[in-house]
Amino acid sequence: MKLSLIIAWLLSFPLSGHAQNVKNMKTNPTSETEIRNVIENYYLKGIYEGNTELLTKAFYKGALLFGDVDGVPYFKTAAQYIEGVGNRVSPERSGKEFKAEILSIDVINSIATAKLNVRMYDFNYYNFITFNNIDGKWLIINKTLTNIHP
């Protein structure tokens, strides 16, 4: 009898523990618009023009970049990445194709992810970018990338 009461008592607690319920998480259409603005007007424009000032506005200073390019591991800090963009011939000046597309943006509370396809030079990059709303601004805190061959 005691065992039955203990089991009944234990089963009365929710099995989900303290995990946050996705239905209660808030997405904000304004946030998606703000993130799209950062991607289009700072990140992608900065890459295309080789404009390090724009890129600096898009990235959190401690952001990290990881991935692979043609199977070679890739790792840079935001500062290293931005410096590299500033020291190369920009896609704008090269005259080579530059095509970028935002494939998706997902926002939950103060975090977000974006998936992009960026074709530049002879590369076909897929970027997965993580954002955080820091002091009222959406900033890139992490970027992962890979190059896909057609």
Side-chain angles (χ1 to χ4, degrees):
M1 178 75 169
K2 277 187 176 181
L3 182 58
S4 297
L5 287 173
I6 291 172
I7 291 172
W9 179 74
L10 288 173
L11 290 176
S12 69
F13 291 101
L15 296 176
S16 63
H18 296 305
Q20 189 172 9
N21 185 344
V22 174
K23 292 178 184 175
N24 293 333
M25 293 182 190
K26 297 188 180 187
T27 59
N28 183 340
T30 303
S31 296
E32 184 174 335
T33 301
E34 292 169 357
I35 292 165
R36 188 173 294 277
N37 179 57
V38 172
I39 293 169
E40 293 173 348
N41 296 311
Y42 295 99
Y43 176 69
L44 293 174
K45 188 174 182 181
I47 292 170
Y48 177 68
E49 296 175 356
N51 187 326
T52 58
E53 289 180 32
L54 290 177
L55 285 172
T56 300
K57 290 178 182 179
F59 280 89
Y60 174 69
K61 64 183 174 184
L64 298 175
L65 294 79
F66 297 92
D68 65 84
V69 179
D70 296 332
V72 177
Y74 179 97
F75 168 78
K76 293 189 185 226
T77 64
Q80 291 169 326
Y81 171 72
I82 292 167
E83 180 182 346
V85 169
N87 290 329
R88 71 178 180 210
V89 175
S90 71
E92 180 181 43
R93 287 194 211 130
S94 75
K96 291 196 175 200
E97 175 188 24
F98 181 87
K99 183 180 176 191
E101 180 182 8
I102 300 171
L103 302 174
S104 66
I105 297 174
D106 293 308
V107 182
I108 300 175
N109 296 328
S110 66
I111 62 169
T113 59
K115 180 180 178 183
L116 307 155
N117 179 225
V118 180
R119 294 174 182 255
M120 55 188 261
Y121 307 114
D122 297 323
F123 296 100
N124 181 18
Y125 290 116
Y126 280 83
N127 294 185
F128 296 88
I129 300 175
T130 306
F131 289 84
N132 194 317
N133 191 310
I134 301 171
D135 296 328
K137 293 181 184 177
W138 286 100
L139 296 172
I140 297 170
I141 59 167
N142 180 266
K143 171 182 163 181
T144 54
L145 67 125
T146 192
N147 179 47
I148 303 292
H149 291 282

mmCIF file of all heavy atoms in Angstrom, residues 49-91:
data_model
loop_
_atom_site.group_PDB
_atom_site.id
_atom_site.type_symbol
_atom_site.label_atom_id
_atom_site.label_comp_id
_atom_site.label_asym_id
_atom_site.label_seq_id
_atom_site.Cartn_x
_atom_site.Cartn_y
_atom_site.Cartn_z
ATOM 1 N N GLU A 49 31.792 44.847 -49.976
ATOM 2 C CA GLU A 49 32.601 46.047 -50.195
ATOM 3 C C GLU A 49 33.991 45.947 -49.571
ATOM 4 O O GLU A 49 34.842 46.795 -49.836
ATOM 5 C CB GLU A 49 31.895 47.268 -49.596
ATOM 6 C CG GLU A 49 30.591 47.605 -50.253
ATOM 7 C CD GLU A 49 29.867 48.753 -49.551
ATOM 8 O OE1 GLU A 49 30.339 49.251 -48.502
ATOM 9 O OE2 GLU A 49 28.799 49.149 -50.064
ATOM 10 N N GLY A 50 34.211 44.978 -48.707
ATOM 11 C CA GLY A 50 35.461 44.924 -47.950
ATOM 12 C C GLY A 50 35.494 45.999 -46.883
ATOM 13 O O GLY A 50 36.551 46.468 -46.476
ATOM 14 N N ASN A 51 34.326 46.369 -46.376
ATOM 15 C CA ASN A 51 34.172 47.477 -45.436
ATOM 16 C C ASN A 51 34.254 46.953 -43.997
ATOM 17 O O ASN A 51 33.292 46.418 -43.459
ATOM 18 C CB ASN A 51 32.837 48.174 -45.691
ATOM 19 C CG ASN A 51 32.653 49.424 -44.878
ATOM 20 O OD1 ASN A 51 33.104 49.521 -43.754
ATOM 21 N ND2 ASN A 51 31.952 50.380 -45.457
ATOM 22 N N THR A 52 35.412 47.138 -43.383
ATOM 23 C CA THR A 52 35.638 46.612 -42.034
ATOM 24 C C THR A 52 34.832 47.370 -40.978
ATOM 25 O O THR A 52 34.499 46.797 -39.944
ATOM 26 C CB THR A 52 37.134 46.639 -41.677
ATOM 27 O OG1 THR A 52 37.618 47.978 -41.780
ATOM 28 C CG2 THR A 52 37.926 45.739 -42.607
ATOM 29 N N GLU A 53 34.514 48.628 -41.228
ATOM 30 C CA GLU A 53 33.688 49.386 -40.270
ATOM 31 C C GLU A 53 32.296 48.784 -40.165
ATOM 32 O O GLU A 53 31.750 48.654 -39.062
ATOM 33 C CB GLU A 53 33.601 50.858 -40.670
ATOM 34 C CG GLU A 53 34.893 51.624 -40.462
ATOM 35 C CD GLU A 53 34.783 53.086 -40.871
ATOM 36 O OE1 GLU A 53 33.690 53.668 -40.740
ATOM 37 O OE2 GLU A 53 35.801 53.625 -41.326
ATOM 38 N N LEU A 54 31.720 48.421 -41.300
ATOM 39 C CA LEU A 54 30.399 47.787 -41.278
ATOM 40 C C LEU A 54 30.455 46.441 -40.561
ATOM 41 O O LEU A 54 29.591 46.126 -39.740
ATOM 42 C CB LEU A 54 29.861 47.606 -42.696
ATOM 43 C CG LEU A 54 29.460 48.867 -43.453
ATOM 44 C CD1 LEU A 54 29.019 48.523 -44.866
ATOM 45 C CD2 LEU A 54 28.368 49.621 -42.716
ATOM 46 N N LEU A 55 31.467 45.636 -40.876
ATOM 47 C CA LEU A 55 31.591 44.319 -40.240
ATOM 48 C C LEU A 55 31.779 44.441 -38.733
ATOM 49 O O LEU A 55 31.215 43.661 -37.970
ATOM 50 C CB LEU A 55 32.747 43.535 -40.853
ATOM 51 C CG LEU A 55 32.482 42.960 -42.233
ATOM 52 C CD1 LEU A 55 33.747 42.372 -42.814
ATOM 53 C CD2 LEU A 55 31.377 41.923 -42.183
ATOM 54 N N THR A 56 32.544 45.421 -38.306
ATOM 55 C CA THR A 56 32.772 45.632 -36.867
ATOM 56 C C THR A 56 31.459 45.927 -36.153
ATOM 57 O O THR A 56 31.249 45.492 -35.017
ATOM 58 C CB THR A 56 33.794 46.763 -36.644
ATOM 59 O OG1 THR A 56 35.027 46.384 -37.269
ATOM 60 C CG2 THR A 56 34.034 47.015 -35.173
ATOM 61 N N LYS A 57 30.543 46.608 -36.819
ATOM 62 C CA LYS A 57 29.235 46.903 -36.224
ATOM 63 C C LYS A 57 28.352 45.653 -36.124
ATOM 64 O O LYS A 57 27.433 45.605 -35.320
ATOM 65 C CB LYS A 57 28.515 47.982 -37.033
ATOM 66 C CG LYS A 57 29.159 49.344 -36.903
ATOM 67 C CD LYS A 57 28.434 50.366 -37.754
ATOM 68 C CE LYS A 57 29.125 51.721 -37.657
ATOM 69 N NZ LYS A 57 28.469 52.724 -38.487
ATOM 70 N N ALA A 58 28.617 44.644 -36.960
ATOM 71 C CA ALA A 58 27.796 43.434 -36.983
ATOM 72 C C ALA A 58 28.233 42.411 -35.941
ATOM 73 O O ALA A 58 27.413 41.646 -35.443
ATOM 74 C CB ALA A 58 27.844 42.791 -38.369
ATOM 75 N N PHE A 59 29.532 42.387 -35.592
ATOM 76 C CA PHE A 59 30.082 41.343 -34.741
ATOM 77 C C PHE A 59 30.275 41.804 -33.301
ATOM 78 O O PHE A 59 30.742 42.914 -33.062
ATOM 79 C CB PHE A 59 31.448 40.883 -35.262
ATOM 80 C CG PHE A 59 31.372 39.922 -36.410
ATOM 81 C CD1 PHE A 59 31.332 40.379 -37.716
ATOM 82 C CD2 PHE A 59 31.342 38.555 -36.180
ATOM 83 C CE1 PHE A 59 31.272 39.499 -38.774
ATOM 84 C CE2 PHE A 59 31.285 37.663 -37.236
ATOM 85 C CZ PHE A 59 31.250 38.132 -38.533
ATOM 86 N N TYR A 60 29.969 40.919 -32.372
ATOM 87 C CA TYR A 60 30.373 41.086 -30.981
ATOM 88 C C TYR A 60 31.891 40.923 -30.961
ATOM 89 O O TYR A 60 32.443 40.059 -31.654
ATOM 90 C CB TYR A 60 29.689 40.023 -30.118
ATOM 91 C CG TYR A 60 30.134 40.006 -28.688
ATOM 92 C CD1 TYR A 60 29.798 41.050 -27.826
ATOM 93 C CD2 TYR A 60 30.897 38.961 -28.198
ATOM 94 C CE1 TYR A 60 30.203 41.042 -26.506
ATOM 95 C CE2 TYR A 60 31.304 38.937 -26.874
ATOM 96 C CZ TYR A 60 30.958 39.988 -26.035
ATOM 97 O OH TYR A 60 31.368 39.978 -24.728
ATOM 98 N N LYS A 61 32.582 41.739 -30.187
ATOM 99 C CA LYS A 61 34.052 41.738 -30.228
ATOM 100 C C LYS A 61 34.667 40.388 -29.878
ATOM 101 O O LYS A 61 35.749 40.060 -30.339
ATOM 102 C CB LYS A 61 34.614 42.836 -29.330
ATOM 103 C CG LYS A 61 34.299 42.655 -27.869
ATOM 104 C CD LYS A 61 34.822 43.796 -27.029
ATOM 105 C CE LYS A 61 34.342 43.628 -25.600
ATOM 106 N NZ LYS A 61 34.714 44.723 -24.756
ATOM 107 N N GLY A 62 33.982 39.568 -29.100
ATOM 108 C CA GLY A 62 34.516 38.260 -28.730
ATOM 109 C C GLY A 62 34.000 37.113 -29.586
ATOM 110 O O GLY A 62 34.188 35.946 -29.240
ATOM 111 N N ALA A 63 33.372 37.421 -30.710
ATOM 112 C CA ALA A 63 32.790 36.387 -31.569
ATOM 113 C C ALA A 63 33.878 35.475 -32.142
ATOM 114 O O ALA A 63 35.010 35.900 -32.368
ATOM 115 C CB ALA A 63 31.994 37.028 -32.703
ATOM 116 N N LEU A 64 33.501 34.237 -32.383
ATOM 117 C CA LEU A 64 34.410 33.253 -32.970
ATOM 118 C C LEU A 64 33.803 32.678 -34.235
ATOM 119 O O LEU A 64 32.584 32.553 -34.351
ATOM 120 C CB LEU A 64 34.694 32.126 -31.972
ATOM 121 C CG LEU A 64 35.380 32.548 -30.670
ATOM 122 C CD1 LEU A 64 35.481 31.353 -29.724
ATOM 123 C CD2 LEU A 64 36.761 33.126 -30.948
ATOM 124 N N LEU A 65 34.672 32.309 -35.176
ATOM 125 C CA LEU A 65 34.258 31.735 -36.444
ATOM 126 C C LEU A 65 34.923 30.373 -36.604
ATOM 127 O O LEU A 65 36.138 30.244 -36.394
ATOM 128 C CB LEU A 65 34.659 32.647 -37.605
ATOM 129 C CG LEU A 65 33.970 34.008 -37.659
ATOM 130 C CD1 LEU A 65 34.579 35.005 -36.695
ATOM 131 C CD2 LEU A 65 34.015 34.564 -39.060
ATOM 132 N N PHE A 66 34.127 29.372 -36.968
ATOM 133 C CA PHE A 66 34.612 28.006 -37.135
ATOM 134 C C PHE A 66 34.068 27.434 -38.429
ATOM 135 O O PHE A 66 33.036 27.870 -38.925
ATOM 136 C CB PHE A 66 34.101 27.098 -36.006
ATOM 137 C CG PHE A 66 34.566 27.477 -34.640
ATOM 138 C CD1 PHE A 66 33.810 28.331 -33.850
ATOM 139 C CD2 PHE A 66 35.747 26.977 -34.127
ATOM 140 C CE1 PHE A 66 34.222 28.674 -32.570
ATOM 141 C CE2 PHE A 66 36.165 27.316 -32.852
ATOM 142 C CZ PHE A 66 35.411 28.161 -32.069
ATOM 143 N N GLY A 67 34.721 26.416 -38.946
ATOM 144 C CA GLY A 67 34.186 25.703 -40.091
ATOM 145 C C GLY A 67 35.265 24.979 -40.844
ATOM 146 O O GLY A 67 36.307 24.597 -40.296
ATOM 147 N N ASP A 68 34.994 24.801 -42.138
ATOM 148 C CA ASP A 68 35.981 24.202 -43.028
ATOM 149 C C ASP A 68 35.796 24.795 -44.415
ATOM 150 O O ASP A 68 34.696 25.140 -44.821
ATOM 151 C CB ASP A 68 35.845 22.676 -43.056
ATOM 152 C CG ASP A 68 34.537 22.225 -43.655
ATOM 153 O OD1 ASP A 68 34.441 22.131 -44.892
ATOM 154 O OD2 ASP A 68 33.589 21.993 -42.884
ATOM 155 N N VAL A 69 36.910 24.923 -45.095
ATOM 156 C CA VAL A 69 36.900 25.402 -46.480
ATOM 157 C C VAL A 69 37.644 24.356 -47.297
ATOM 158 O O VAL A 69 38.847 24.155 -47.110
ATOM 159 C CB VAL A 69 37.565 26.795 -46.614
ATOM 160 C CG1 VAL A 69 37.558 27.246 -48.064
ATOM 161 C CG2 VAL A 69 36.865 27.812 -45.721
ATOM 162 N N ASP A 70 36.908 23.673 -48.131
ATOM 163 C CA ASP A 70 37.452 22.574 -48.936
ATOM 164 C C ASP A 70 38.132 21.520 -48.063
ATOM 165 O O ASP A 70 39.206 21.021 -48.386
ATOM 166 C CB ASP A 70 38.412 23.108 -50.000
ATOM 167 C CG ASP A 70 37.705 24.010 -51.006
ATOM 168 O OD1 ASP A 70 36.491 23.826 -51.230
ATOM 169 O OD2 ASP A 70 38.363 24.910 -51.557
ATOM 170 N N GLY A 71 37.513 21.220 -46.927
ATOM 171 C CA GLY A 71 38.019 20.191 -46.043
ATOM 172 C C GLY A 71 39.104 20.655 -45.077
ATOM 173 O O GLY A 71 39.539 19.896 -44.225
ATOM 174 N N VAL A 72 39.547 21.892 -45.206
ATOM 175 C CA VAL A 72 40.581 22.424 -44.317
ATOM 176 C C VAL A 72 39.899 23.141 -43.159
ATOM 177 O O VAL A 72 39.074 24.031 -43.384
ATOM 178 C CB VAL A 72 41.510 23.405 -45.082
ATOM 179 C CG1 VAL A 72 42.542 24.011 -44.140
ATOM 180 C CG2 VAL A 72 42.172 22.713 -46.259
ATOM 181 N N PRO A 73 40.217 22.757 -41.916
ATOM 182 C CA PRO A 73 39.586 23.408 -40.762
ATOM 183 C C PRO A 73 39.832 24.919 -40.778
ATOM 184 O O PRO A 73 40.896 25.389 -41.186
ATOM 185 C CB PRO A 73 40.286 22.760 -39.560
ATOM 186 C CG PRO A 73 40.780 21.454 -40.069
ATOM 187 C CD PRO A 73 41.137 21.696 -41.505
ATOM 188 N N TYR A 74 38.826 25.646 -40.319
ATOM 189 C CA TYR A 74 38.853 27.108 -40.326
ATOM 190 C C TYR A 74 38.511 27.591 -38.932
ATOM 191 O O TYR A 74 37.515 27.166 -38.355
ATOM 192 C CB TYR A 74 37.811 27.595 -41.337
ATOM 193 C CG TYR A 74 37.678 29.087 -41.481
ATOM 194 C CD1 TYR A 74 38.331 29.758 -42.503
ATOM 195 C CD2 TYR A 74 36.871 29.830 -40.625
ATOM 196 C CE1 TYR A 74 38.195 31.135 -42.666
ATOM 197 C CE2 TYR A 74 36.737 31.199 -40.773
ATOM 198 C CZ TYR A 74 37.396 31.850 -41.799
ATOM 199 O OH TYR A 74 37.263 33.202 -41.952
ATOM 200 N N PHE A 75 39.351 28.462 -38.373
ATOM 201 C CA PHE A 75 39.077 29.074 -37.084
ATOM 202 C C PHE A 75 39.662 30.473 -37.068
ATOM 203 O O PHE A 75 40.824 30.666 -37.416
ATOM 204 C CB PHE A 75 39.679 28.281 -35.925
ATOM 205 C CG PHE A 75 39.650 29.054 -34.629
ATOM 206 C CD1 PHE A 75 38.478 29.160 -33.901
ATOM 207 C CD2 PHE A 75 40.770 29.730 -34.175
ATOM 208 C CE1 PHE A 75 38.428 29.907 -32.726
ATOM 209 C CE2 PHE A 75 40.731 30.479 -33.004
ATOM 210 C CZ PHE A 75 39.559 30.567 -32.284
ATOM 211 N N LYS A 76 38.855 31.450 -36.685
ATOM 212 C CA LYS A 76 39.324 32.824 -36.543
ATOM 213 C C LYS A 76 38.519 33.518 -35.458
ATOM 214 O O LYS A 76 37.379 33.166 -35.198
ATOM 215 C CB LYS A 76 39.153 33.608 -37.845
ATOM 216 C CG LYS A 76 40.048 33.122 -38.959
ATOM 217 C CD LYS A 76 40.025 34.029 -40.150
ATOM 218 C CE LYS A 76 40.858 33.378 -41.216
ATOM 219 N NZ LYS A 76 41.759 34.152 -41.887
ATOM 220 N N THR A 77 39.137 34.520 -34.874
ATOM 221 C CA THR A 77 38.386 35.426 -34.012
ATOM 222 C C THR A 77 37.705 36.433 -34.935
ATOM 223 O O THR A 77 38.085 36.575 -36.113
ATOM 224 C CB THR A 77 39.316 36.172 -33.042
ATOM 225 O OG1 THR A 77 40.198 37.002 -33.803
ATOM 226 C CG2 THR A 77 40.101 35.201 -32.165
ATOM 227 N N ALA A 78 36.743 37.165 -34.413
ATOM 228 C CA ALA A 78 36.086 38.200 -35.222
ATOM 229 C C ALA A 78 37.114 39.213 -35.711
ATOM 230 O O ALA A 78 37.078 39.624 -36.878
ATOM 231 C CB ALA A 78 34.984 38.882 -34.414
ATOM 232 N N ALA A 79 38.033 39.603 -34.845
ATOM 233 C CA ALA A 79 39.052 40.592 -35.232
ATOM 234 C C ALA A 79 39.922 40.071 -36.375
ATOM 235 O O ALA A 79 40.211 40.819 -37.331
ATOM 236 C CB ALA A 79 39.911 40.960 -34.024
ATOM 237 N N GLN A 80 40.338 38.807 -36.321
ATOM 238 C CA GLN A 80 41.143 38.221 -37.397
ATOM 239 C C GLN A 80 40.356 38.169 -38.707
ATOM 240 O O GLN A 80 40.888 38.462 -39.781
ATOM 241 C CB GLN A 80 41.607 36.817 -37.023
ATOM 242 C CG GLN A 80 42.615 36.779 -35.912
ATOM 243 C CD GLN A 80 42.840 35.361 -35.392
ATOM 244 O OE1 GLN A 80 41.913 34.537 -35.351
ATOM 245 N NE2 GLN A 80 44.068 35.082 -34.975
ATOM 246 N N TYR A 81 39.097 37.771 -38.601
ATOM 247 C CA TYR A 81 38.247 37.685 -39.785
ATOM 248 C C TYR A 81 38.064 39.063 -40.429
ATOM 249 O O TYR A 81 38.246 39.221 -41.637
ATOM 250 C CB TYR A 81 36.885 37.084 -39.409
ATOM 251 C CG TYR A 81 35.886 37.148 -40.521
ATOM 252 C CD1 TYR A 81 36.000 36.330 -41.637
ATOM 253 C CD2 TYR A 81 34.820 38.046 -40.466
ATOM 254 C CE1 TYR A 81 35.081 36.398 -42.675
ATOM 255 C CE2 TYR A 81 33.898 38.115 -41.495
ATOM 256 C CZ TYR A 81 34.033 37.292 -42.594
ATOM 257 O OH TYR A 81 33.123 37.371 -43.622
ATOM 258 N N ILE A 82 37.737 40.052 -39.627
ATOM 259 C CA ILE A 82 37.494 41.402 -40.150
ATOM 260 C C ILE A 82 38.769 41.962 -40.772
ATOM 261 O O ILE A 82 38.728 42.575 -41.843
ATOM 262 C CB ILE A 82 36.929 42.312 -39.039
ATOM 263 C CG1 ILE A 82 35.517 41.837 -38.662
ATOM 264 C CG2 ILE A 82 36.925 43.776 -39.461
ATOM 265 C CD1 ILE A 82 34.958 42.436 -37.383
ATOM 266 N N GLU A 83 39.897 41.732 -40.131
ATOM 267 C CA GLU A 83 41.174 42.183 -40.694
ATOM 268 C C GLU A 83 41.432 41.520 -42.051
ATOM 269 O O GLU A 83 41.862 42.161 -43.005
ATOM 270 C CB GLU A 83 42.315 41.864 -39.727
ATOM 271 C CG GLU A 83 43.674 42.305 -40.229
ATOM 272 C CD GLU A 83 44.811 41.937 -39.289
ATOM 273 O OE1 GLU A 83 44.553 41.578 -38.117
ATOM 274 O OE2 GLU A 83 45.968 42.016 -39.731
ATOM 275 N N GLY A 84 41.153 40.216 -42.138
ATOM 276 C CA GLY A 84 41.335 39.490 -43.399
ATOM 277 C C GLY A 84 40.462 40.035 -44.509
ATOM 278 O O GLY A 84 40.908 40.178 -45.649
ATOM 279 N N VAL A 85 39.215 40.345 -44.179
ATOM 280 C CA VAL A 85 38.304 40.926 -45.178
ATOM 281 C C VAL A 85 38.851 42.273 -45.664
ATOM 282 O O VAL A 85 38.810 42.585 -46.850
ATOM 283 C CB VAL A 85 36.876 41.090 -44.610
ATOM 284 C CG1 VAL A 85 36.002 41.926 -45.538
ATOM 285 C CG2 VAL A 85 36.244 39.719 -44.380
ATOM 286 N N GLY A 86 39.396 43.059 -44.745
ATOM 287 C CA GLY A 86 39.945 44.363 -45.107
ATOM 288 C C GLY A 86 41.197 44.279 -45.949
ATOM 289 O O GLY A 86 41.493 45.203 -46.716
ATOM 290 N N ASN A 87 41.940 43.173 -45.850
ATOM 291 C CA ASN A 87 43.203 43.029 -46.573
ATOM 292 C C ASN A 87 43.085 42.296 -47.906
ATOM 293 O O ASN A 87 44.078 42.158 -48.614
ATOM 294 C CB ASN A 87 44.234 42.310 -45.689
ATOM 295 C CG ASN A 87 44.696 43.181 -44.547
ATOM 296 O OD1 ASN A 87 44.747 44.402 -44.653
ATOM 297 N ND2 ASN A 87 45.025 42.562 -43.423
ATOM 298 N N ARG A 88 41.912 41.820 -48.251
ATOM 299 C CA ARG A 88 41.756 41.109 -49.527
ATOM 300 C C ARG A 88 41.083 42.020 -50.547
ATOM 301 O O ARG A 88 40.507 43.056 -50.199
ATOM 302 C CB ARG A 88 40.948 39.829 -49.340
ATOM 303 C CG ARG A 88 39.485 40.095 -49.062
ATOM 304 C CD ARG A 88 38.689 38.823 -48.936
ATOM 305 N NE ARG A 88 37.291 39.164 -48.673
ATOM 306 C CZ ARG A 88 36.454 38.440 -47.986
ATOM 307 N NH1 ARG A 88 36.855 37.303 -47.482
ATOM 308 N NH2 ARG A 88 35.213 38.821 -47.807
ATOM 309 N N VAL A 89 41.132 41.612 -51.791
ATOM 310 C CA VAL A 89 40.391 42.330 -52.824
ATOM 311 C C VAL A 89 38.921 41.991 -52.620
ATOM 312 O O VAL A 89 38.547 40.812 -52.600
ATOM 313 C CB VAL A 89 40.854 41.916 -54.237
ATOM 314 C CG1 VAL A 89 39.993 42.575 -55.307
ATOM 315 C CG2 VAL A 89 42.324 42.251 -54.436
ATOM 316 N N SER A 90 38.105 43.002 -52.448
ATOM 317 C CA SER A 90 36.684 42.775 -52.181
ATOM 318 C C SER A 90 35.994 42.184 -53.404
ATOM 319 O O SER A 90 36.432 42.401 -54.538
ATOM 320 C CB SER A 90 36.004 44.088 -51.796
ATOM 321 O OG SER A 90 35.906 44.931 -52.924
ATOM 322 N N PRO A 91 34.911 41.454 -53.179
ATOM 323 C CA PRO A 91 34.135 40.964 -54.321
ATOM 324 C C PRO A 91 33.685 42.119 -55.231
ATOM 325 O O PRO A 91 33.658 41.985 -56.453
ATOM 326 C CB PRO A 91 32.941 40.268 -53.673
ATOM 327 C CG PRO A 91 33.447 39.830 -52.339
ATOM 328 C CD PRO A 91 34.389 40.924 -51.918
#
